[in-house]
């Protein structure tokens, strides 16, 4: 009981401006707490419900009958309950925010997660990012939130509980940055938001650990991923976040169709209920213009560009196929000439809630065509700055690759042939240049000689 009492005591000191019964949420005061080196920090009047959600019940109002209380900045923003005051939490004695500084509705500070308007009315009102390339609130968050509302009934009862928990977790994680004293760039907001996705997916409600992405059935997990992926522009933080979600998905305990599969053939008859992972080893044989890959996000971007190239050759989009390429974060660095990447395929009609497709894709046909083209070495291509050629591929129906559809090697070109061609072309070009220059020199010499005569 002593530990519980200390945690409760450290949370807040209720002041006159923050009524324990009526708040309102968002009221701010500059306070001094002894254990923080007697320094001043901002504190916000918030609901006990929000404080519990934000901290996973580690913090709560000291007065147990209170609906509202102050939550100090260092505890809310950094989860630090003693020591020096850091960052935007600092304030000076007597400093205050007037009512003109509080431009957001009080409901912004204790989001329920059920209302998708929060991103526009709260986050976007604080940070004017609409129309920029880092518009997280309206371009992504609101759209996906509304999609889950529209297709809520498509998910299992467990999936519906998870959706509500995740939506609340994502909003609660952003509340600290909408405080009046906090200022972030649109790029920082987007990164902070995407960084919160994996923790919120895996553990959206720290009061109930059974609510997790890993505890959803396969179809719910797949629908979540592919719906989110189809609603995004694939670049930067988006690719890295989706890679994290996919790697989380593959590492979850998998029960395909929620049953132990004893008969692979019977499972394959239902093309609507599974996705395929293709483990592909890619070799960058000929680089026309070497460009250094500066970080892991660059590797992910390259992997998805390669997957897009393959998808365009095989017309996956036209045939109702979804795809995404992920790379294990343990990939050796710096990247060598070879890259092991996973290309994930799924039926658009079944898993993408954004689609208007009326028929399921023939995944059997898609896989056979991929295998055929791969073995013949027909999937190599030139990107803007890289040339690549697939080496080997393995098709799997589950994350552990216990159920394998194929395991093939490609018919490769001689790696030296391209270099030889480039070498010969280079020699010929140099020889031609020498001949031209010699000819010009001779003409110049003759003309100069004639003029002297």
């Amino acid at each position: 009981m002593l530990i519980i009492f200390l945690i409760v005591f450290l949370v807040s000191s209720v002041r006159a401006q923050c009524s324990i019964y009526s708040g309102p949420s968002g009221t701010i005061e500059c306070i001094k707490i002894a254990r923080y080196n007697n320094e001043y920090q901002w504190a916000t009047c918030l609901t006990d419900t929000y404080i519990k959600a934000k901290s996973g019940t580690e913090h709560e109002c000291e007065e147990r009958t209170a609906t509202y209380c102050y939550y100090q900045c260092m505890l809310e923003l950094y989860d630090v309950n003693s020591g020096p005051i850091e960052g935007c939490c600092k304030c000076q004695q007597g400093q205050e925010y007037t009512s003109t500084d509080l431009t957001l509705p009080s409901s912004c500070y204790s989001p329920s997660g059920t209302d998708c308007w929060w991103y526009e009315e709260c986050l976007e009102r604080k940070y004017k990012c609409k129309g920029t390339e880092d518009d997280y609130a309206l371009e992504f968050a609101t759209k996906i939130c509304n999609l889950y509302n529209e297709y809520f009934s498509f998910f299992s009862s467990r999936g519906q509980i998870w959706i509500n928990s995740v939506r609340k977790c994502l909003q609660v994680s952003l509340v600290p940055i909408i405080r009046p004293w906090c200022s972030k760039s649109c790029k920082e907001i987007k990164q902070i938001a995407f960084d919160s996705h994996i923790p919120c997916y895996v553990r959206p409600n720290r009061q109930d650990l059974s609510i997790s992405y890993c505890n959803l059935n396969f179809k719910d997990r797949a629908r979540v991923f592919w719906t989110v992926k189809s609603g995004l522009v694939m670049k930067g933080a988006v690719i890295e976040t989706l890679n994290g979600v996919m790697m989380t998905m593959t590492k979850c305990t998998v029960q395909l169709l929620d049953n132990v599969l004893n008969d692979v053939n019977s499972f394959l008859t239902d093309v609507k209920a599974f996705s395929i992972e293709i483990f592909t080893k890619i070799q960058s044989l000929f680089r026309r213009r070497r460009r250094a890959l500066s970080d892991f996000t660059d590797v992910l971007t390259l992997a998805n560009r390669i997957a897009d190239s393959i998808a365009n050759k095989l017309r996956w989009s036209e045939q109702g196929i979804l795809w995404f390429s992920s790379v294990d974060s343990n990939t050796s660095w710096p990247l060598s000439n070879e890259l092991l990447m996973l290309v994930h395929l799924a039926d658009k009609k079944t898993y993408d809630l954004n689609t208007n497709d009326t028929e399921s894709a023939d995944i059997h046909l898609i896989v056979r065509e991929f295998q055929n083209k791969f073995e013949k070495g027909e999937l190599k291509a030139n990107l803007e700055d890289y040339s690549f050629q697939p080496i080997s591929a393995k098709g799997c129906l589950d994350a552990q690759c216990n159920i394998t559809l194929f395991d093939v090697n490609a018919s490769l070109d001689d790696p030296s042939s391209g270099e030889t061609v480039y070498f010969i072309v280079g020699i010929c070009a140099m020889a031609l240049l020498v001949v031209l220059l010699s000819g010009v020199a001779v003409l110049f010499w003759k003309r100069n000689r004639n003029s002297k005569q």
Side-chain angles (χ1 to χ4, degrees), residues 18 54 109 127 145 161 193 208 216 248 278 288 338-339 359 371 391 394:
C18 180
K54 180 68 172 63
Y109 301 102
Y127 298 100
C145 184
I161 294 172
D208 187 348
L216 300 180
T248 298
I278 301 174
R288 292 172 291 162
E338 293 182 359
L339 170 65
E359 296 184 4
Q371 184 177 348
I391 301 174
K394 180 184 293 186

Side-chain angles (χ1 to χ4, degrees), residues 57-74:
T57 68
E58 291 182 12
H59 312 145
E60 55 187 4
C61 291
E62 178 183 0
E63 174 59 57
R64 294 311 313 126
T65 62
T67 303
Y68 297 85
C69 64
Y70 275 114
Y71 198 19
Q72 64 262 38
C73 179
M74 288 298 294

Side-chain angles (χ1 to χ4, degrees), residues 18 30 34 89 101 122 125 132 154 180 191 201 237 288 311 317 378:
C18 180
C30 182
C89 289
D101 298 309
C122 302
R125 186 181 292 189
T132 71
F154 282 63
Q191 189 64 56
Y201 277 33
R288 292 172 291 162
S317 181
E378 297 180 5

Side-chain angles (χ1 to χ4, degrees), residues 69-83:
C69 64
Y70 275 114
Y71 198 19
Q72 64 262 38
C73 179
M74 288 298 294
L75 202 56
E76 180 188 16
L77 203 57
Y78 304 111
D79 198 25
V80 173
N81 61 16
S82 64

Side-chain angles (χ1 to χ4, degrees), residues 218-219 222-223 226-227 270-276 316-317 319-323 344-355 357-364 366:
F218 176 79
K219 184 170 286 189
R223 277 180 170 165
W226 292 111
T227 298
D270 188 358
V271 298
K272 299 179 181 180
F274 69 91
S275 61
I276 293 175
W316 283 349
S317 181
Q319 299 182 70
I321 289 292
L322 300 165
W323 70 90
H344 311 269
L345 306 181
D347 174 36
K348 184 183 294 185
K349 179 182 180 297
T350 303
Y351 297 119
D352 182 8
L353 301 183
N354 297 295
T355 189
D357 286 11
T358 57
E359 296 184 4
S360 292
D362 188 343
I363 297 185
H364 295 278
I366 300 297

Side-chain angles (χ1 to χ4, degrees), residues 221-232:
R221 286 201 304 275
R223 277 180 170 165
V224 166
F225 177 83
W226 292 111
T227 298
V228 170
K229 190 265 181 186
S230 68
L232 297 176

